[in-house]
Amino acid sequence: MANILVVDQDAGSREFIREILSDFGYCVFVAGSVADAAGLWADNAIDLAILDTRTVEHANSVSSRGSALRSLRAPVIALSGASASGAWDVPTQGVVALLEKPVRLQPLLSTVHRLLATPQNADAGSSDVAALAPRASAPRLGN
């Protein structure tokens, strides 16, 4: 299954996303900062990244670590507390989707599945998220 990196300063949000995606069989790495995430995507083949815009904005404003985001070669889902129709600036390149916080289950799953089902990331599985069911034996990562 795909490797997904979740970067969010809010431990509750990143653990919620990790738990949901792990239940659906994805291998999920989590980081509370861009600096922590840089090592994860350097050491692992990341297929999709989910980045909180506030975490990334903070990294860009306090250090050059934010520039490390440019080395991420995976599609990015941006998480934002601002409405999708509101005025905000995505602080990184590669953003292909936006999810509003608090993250809701169905939009999260449908967006992740849609992005991973693109030709360059195609999996042999069904493209219908409703057909997916949580796997009781999904691996839990301590990351």
Side-chain angles (χ1 to χ4, degrees):
M1 199 40 94
N3 291 328
I4 300 173
L5 173 62
V6 178
V7 184
D8 194 330
Q9 290 174 322
D10 180 359
S13 290
R14 72 177 177 261
E15 285 304 311
F16 170 76
I17 295 169
R18 183 200 57 78
E19 186 174 310
I20 296 300
L21 295 177
S22 292
D23 284 349
F24 279 82
Y26 295 105
C27 180
V28 182
F29 301 92
V30 296
S33 71
V34 172
D36 293 341
L40 290 171
W41 73 66
D43 296 339
N44 299 282
I46 301 298
D47 300 302
L48 179 68
I50 301 174
L51 305 175
D52 176 61
T53 58
R54 191 182 69 205
T55 303
V56 175
E57 287 169 353
H58 176 73
N60 284 337
S61 67
V62 299
S63 78
S64 62
R65 290 281 189 183
S67 64
L69 287 175
R70 289 187 278 281
S71 68
L72 180 60
R73 299 282 185 241
V76 174
I77 298 172
L79 300 177
S80 177
S83 124
S85 62
W88 63 282
D89 184 28
V90 178
T92 185
Q93 296 175 341
V95 173
V96 294
L98 169 69
L99 292 176
E100 292 180 37
K101 286 176 112 179
V103 176
R104 294 185 338 247
L105 176 67
Q106 194 58 38
L108 172 66
L109 291 175
S110 64
T111 302
V112 166
H113 186 71
R114 176 178 51 85
L115 293 174
L116 291 174
T118 60
Q120 67 269 21
N121 296 321
D123 192 347
S126 165
S127 63
D128 182 8
V129 174
L132 297 174
R135 294 181 7 190
S137 62
R140 296 277 188 221
L141 296 177
N143 295 353

